[in-house]
Amino acid sequence: MKYILDANGLDKGPEVVIAAGKRAVKEGMDITIIGKESIRDQVNMSGCKFMLATEEISTEEKNPAFAIRKYKDSTITKGLYALKNGEFDAFVSGGSTGAVLAGGTLIVGRIPGVKRSALTIPIPNVNGKLSYLLDAGANVECTPDMLYEFAVLASNYVKSAKGIENPSVMLINNGIEEEKGSSLTKEAYQLLKNSNLNFKGNLEGRYIFDGQSDIIVTDGFSGNLILKCLEGEFIFINHLIKKSAMENFFNKIAMLVLKKSFKRNFSVLDSNQYGGVPLLGLKKVVIKAHGSSDECAFYNSILAARDAHESGMIESITNIFAKEA
């Protein structure tokens, strides 16, 4: 299996990608890093192969689809074309989310029958396992059949790549009753209810961490709001813990006693351990890593690419949509 890694786009620079690539090479993986001439020597010294790309698509780009067409020698555009042409089996990037999504759709292409690709994110739950929420922002405006499609994509991903047989599915809503919600969620509920999926009904936002469902479905606008709210809430909780610890001497002592326990239990909130997430519905494996990834996170993104490819996820999804056509 051959991987191509995008050296651009990370907050901490291409050194993170090179370090993660070097680690992957030591594990026997075939790694190519695509980037500017300035990193060629570093890449070659790491044991990875190098591919030159002279342009970069900014994370501030307002029209990602236009940027994909304009910057043909960017790491994202050139890397995705190399993936499409069969030179590689998976593409991993921490660059512009919009550009990776647009490039994945325009260049790699969607699996026949799939209307929209979607981003899914892992969410830790009280059972010590993970639930998978989608869409996390790829599709701001959705139709009921798109939400149903997201559930089909995620079910196959979770079954193939995560080994969960007959994964459960729930729909984010403002109440658990079937008649609750907007016209979008009401219609999506009926599609899911009458499908062959293991649909368990509606899920209120406050129960996201309860582990009631393996897959949590929502539109991209709501999904991205949930994601950003969770990130902000974790920061706020961390602030409150530190504030409590500094209130008096006894609290400081108590915090020292609990430090290892806090670190162990709160580690589930560290996104670095999960790595990147796949764009579900594309013909090839495309992994979107977080822009703030460190070496560990980007290496885990490479592992996510390996798992997605070796699981046969693409073939499984292709077969499912071929049957539904």
Side-chain angles (χ1 to χ4, degrees):
M1 180 177 175
K2 296 181 178 181
Y3 309 77
I4 182 165
L5 315 181
D6 180 4
N8 293 339
L10 293 185
D11 297 342
K12 298 174 183 177
E15 292 76 17
V16 168
V17 179
I18 296 170
K22 181 178 180 179
R23 184 175 170 185
V25 167
K26 289 182 178 179
E27 296 295 325
M29 301 182 197
D30 189 334
I31 302 292
T32 296
I33 295 177
I34 182 170
K36 297 178 180 178
E37 182 64 36
S38 58
I39 67 168
R40 181 190 291 270
D41 290 343
Q42 287 177 271
V43 172
N44 290 334
M45 288 175 64
S46 72
C48 300
K49 299 170 186 176
F50 177 74
M51 180 183 286
L52 177 64
T54 60
E55 298 176 315
E56 180 176 0
I57 297 177
S58 169
T59 54
E60 302 300 320
E61 181 63 51
K62 294 181 179 179
N63 190 332
F66 174 77
I68 287 292
R69 296 185 178 96
K70 180 179 179 181
Y71 301 109
K72 296 188 181 297
D73 203 51
S74 69
T75 52
I76 293 175
T77 305
K78 192 171 182 179
L80 288 172
Y81 269 114
L83 177 68
K84 176 186 177 181
N85 295 333
E87 298 173 50
F88 300 95
D89 298 300
F91 175 76
V92 183
S93 176
S96 164
T97 300
V100 174
L101 288 168
T105 300
L106 295 171
I107 298 171
V108 177
R110 292 188 292 268
I111 290 169
V114 174
K115 296 182 179 68
R116 297 287 180 90
S117 55
L119 277 172
T120 182
I121 57 170
I123 294 182
N125 60 51
V126 295
N127 300 324
K129 299 179 180 180
L130 294 173
S131 298
Y132 295 87
L133 183 146
L134 80 167
D135 180 23
N139 305 279
V140 173
E141 296 183 3
C142 292
T143 58
D145 59 321
M146 286 170 63
L147 296 189
Y148 164 72
E149 187 175 274
F150 295 162
V152 174
L153 290 171
S155 293
N156 280 275
Y157 166 62
V158 169
K159 181 179 179 180
S160 300
K162 304 301 176 182
I164 300 175
E165 288 293 330
N166 197 29
S168 55
V169 177
M170 295 190 79
L171 180 68
I172 284 288
N173 208 340
N174 64 338
I176 63 172
E177 297 85 357
E178 183 174 339
E179 64 276 8
K180 279 286 187 76
S182 63
S183 58
L184 171 65
T185 57
K186 288 177 183 177
E187 291 181 44
Y189 187 103
Q190 295 305 316
L191 290 174
L192 291 166
K193 178 183 176 181
N194 296 315
S195 72
N196 294 323
L197 299 171
N198 185 17
F199 181 56
K200 298 297 185 181
N202 287 325
L203 180 72
E204 293 185 30
R206 57 179 169 170
Y207 298 122
I208 283 177
F209 296 107
D210 281 14
Q212 294 184 30
S213 182
D214 298 308
I215 296 162
I216 301 170
V217 178
T218 188
D219 61 277
F221 180 80
S222 301
N224 196 257
L225 281 179
I226 291 170
L227 175 60
K228 298 295 172 60
C229 285
L230 293 181
E231 289 175 346
E233 185 176 13
F234 297 152
I235 293 171
F236 182 58
I237 290 172
N238 188 48
H239 164 75
L240 292 178
I241 291 173
K242 289 181 177 179
K243 182 180 178 181
S244 298
M246 300 304 293
E247 284 182 347
N248 57 60
F249 174 75
F250 296 104
N251 283 9
K252 290 180 182 179
I253 296 299
M255 194 58 65
L256 285 173
V257 173
L258 293 170
K259 185 177 180 180
K260 287 186 178 180
S261 179
F262 269 129
K263 187 174 182 180
R264 181 178 66 255
N265 288 305
F266 273 73
S267 66
V268 298
L269 303 180
D270 180 11
S271 61
N272 287 331
Q273 68 174 304
Y274 304 118
V277 296
L279 271 63
L280 298 181
L282 298 182
K283 294 178 180 178
K284 298 274 189 173
V285 175
V286 176
I287 300 293
K288 177 62 183 75
H290 201 288
S292 63
S293 294
D294 59 13
E295 177 190 336
C296 176
F298 205 86
Y299 176 71
N300 285 333
S301 297
I302 299 172
L303 296 184
R306 181 195 65 187
D307 292 345
H309 179 76
E310 293 183 350
S311 69
M313 175 189 76
I314 303 294
E315 293 79 7
S316 175
I317 293 174
T318 300
N319 291 334
I320 288 293
F321 280 86
K323 292 176 183 178
E324 292 192 357

